[in-house]
Amino acid sequence: MSSSRWLVPVLAVLFVPLWASGFIAGKIATGSTDVPAVLFWRFVIALVVMLAAVAVLRPRLPRGRAWLHLAVTALLLQVGQFTFVYSGLASGVPAGLSSLILGMAPLLVGLLTPLLLATRLGVGPVLGLLIGATGVYVVLADDLGAGLGGNLVFPVLGMLSLAAGTLYQKRFNDSTPVVTSVVVQMATSLVATLAAWPFLGADWLPRAPSGWAAVAFLGVVNSAGAFVLMFVLLRRRSTVFVSSLLNLVPATTALVAVPVLGEPLTVQALLGLGIALVGMFVGLGRVPGLRGRRVVADAAVAAPSGQPDGHTVAPAAGGPGRRATGA
């Protein structure tokens, strides 16, 4: 088998657990580190790594209003999404449940795309979102009555920030090189975090070695490593292929969280997770007879970047020849 044949399968196998690990690392980090500090060190480490990539690749710089559009995208995809997700993790929301809720963002993007980007929508995405929402409800049924209900607003807001940021970057940042976009977004997010710090009363440093290890993992692996894998996969495969991989993230996170974090995995949770995954595949047009237009499937990819996978890189509608980022 030639290298070009085995490269994509190997990268795909690595990509899913790497992306899902952002939820696990985020849970560990917020256990001993204030949320602002997790964000701060994540942005610092990721910015250093991506600046090294810029030095090697030398991508072109944004022009004119592109700087402003990248800043707005950063506030939604980076600051907004991860502030809410990490706050939820710190308040007791399980990593697997957070991943499942964030996993609904791609289909929400697909539903809103016709309204905001003048794209026609097939029946698949609508049916898929309804099925996926049913699965999420099945998983949440016990938690809503067990005192977790109020804290669930955090991952929901994180999911909305992810969807809004994805739509915004699809509309305004398609022509900006991926590496440049990520660097500008990381820098903007770092400045925003520092500006808000005096009002947060948070400690600067993690209070345990596990906190340092987790934020380093988020910065290097999730903000840089997973982004590189996604970029390579997008160059060699379609955005629908990457979407299918992202749909495996909630199940992977839930399974890994059992031995690593000690989170329970009940029969009800497995059932709801299965329903949600079916909904996501239906929404992406993977079921014959329910296929929507290709642009809907492309619009349904939302990234690094994922999930607090610490990184969100979202492909743009229009196929692998056009890429946009959101970390």
Side-chain angles (χ1 to χ4, degrees):
M1 181 181 293
S2 66
S3 60
S4 61
R5 292 180 60 189
W6 61 256
L7 178 60
V8 169
V10 169
L11 294 182
V13 170
L14 292 174
F15 174 74
V16 174
L18 199 63
W19 192 278
S21 66
F23 293 93
I24 306 298
K27 186 70 172 181
I28 296 173
T30 55
S32 61
T33 310
D34 292 338
V35 170
V38 175
L39 294 172
F40 171 78
W41 289 108
R42 174 184 180 273
F43 295 145
V44 168
I45 295 171
L47 181 60
V48 171
V49 173
M50 295 310 301
L51 283 175
V54 167
V56 173
L57 300 176
R58 298 182 180 277
R60 60 181 175 82
L61 295 176
R63 296 182 180 180
R65 292 186 178 181
W67 291 96
L68 177 61
H69 292 317
L70 288 171
V72 173
T73 303
L75 294 178
L76 292 170
L77 283 178
Q78 295 285 350
V79 180
Q81 177 191 182
F82 294 119
T83 295
F84 290 128
V85 172
Y86 291 155
S87 295
L89 293 173
S91 64
V93 179
L97 183 55
S98 296
S99 174
L100 182 61
I101 294 174
L102 267 290
M104 297 300 295
L107 290 182
L108 181 59
V109 170
L111 288 176
L112 294 177
T113 294
L115 299 177
L116 302 178
L117 301 181
T119 301
R120 294 181 61 186
L121 187 67
V123 68
V126 178
L127 181 59
L129 186 60
L130 292 176
I131 296 174
T134 301
V136 172
Y137 176 78
V138 171
V139 176
L140 296 182
D142 286 343
D143 292 325
L144 290 174
L148 192 59
N151 293 328
L152 291 175
V153 70
F154 291 118
V156 170
L157 290 175
M159 182 268 290
L160 294 176
S161 294
L162 172 58
T166 300
L167 287 166
Y168 192 92
Q169 62 88 18
K170 288 180 188 302
R171 175 66 178 83
F172 295 106
N173 299 331
D174 278 1
S175 61
T176 304
V178 173
V179 174
T180 303
S181 295
V182 175
V183 168
V184 174
Q185 290 179 31
M186 291 297 175
T188 301
S189 302
L190 179 59
V191 171
T193 303
L194 290 174
W197 205 291
F199 307 99
L200 303 176
D203 293 334
W204 285 94
L205 303 176
R207 293 182 289 273
S210 60
W212 279 112
V215 295
F217 187 92
L218 289 171
V220 176
V221 178
N222 292 125
S223 294
F227 154 74
V228 171
L229 288 181
M230 175 173 270
F231 180 74
V232 173
L233 288 170
L234 286 173
R235 290 179 64 89
R236 294 176 176 269
R237 290 293 186 271
S238 69
T239 53
V240 174
F241 177 82
V242 179
S243 294
S244 299
L245 295 179
L246 290 174
N247 286 333
L248 300 175
V249 169
T252 303
T253 303
L255 292 175
V256 174
V258 174
V260 176
L261 301 177
E263 294 183 357
L265 189 62
T266 63
V267 174
Q268 178 178 326
L270 286 173
L271 176 62
L273 189 59
I275 295 173
L277 289 175
V278 169
M280 291 177 190
F281 277 98
V282 170
L284 287 171
R286 310 299 289 180
V287 178
L290 292 177
R291 298 176 184 270
R293 295 176 63 88
R294 167 68 176 276
V295 70
V296 173
D298 285 348
V301 182
S305 0
Q307 311 3 20
D309 50 273
H311 40 261
T312 314
V313 179
R322 297 172 62 199
R323 291 178 293 276
T325 67

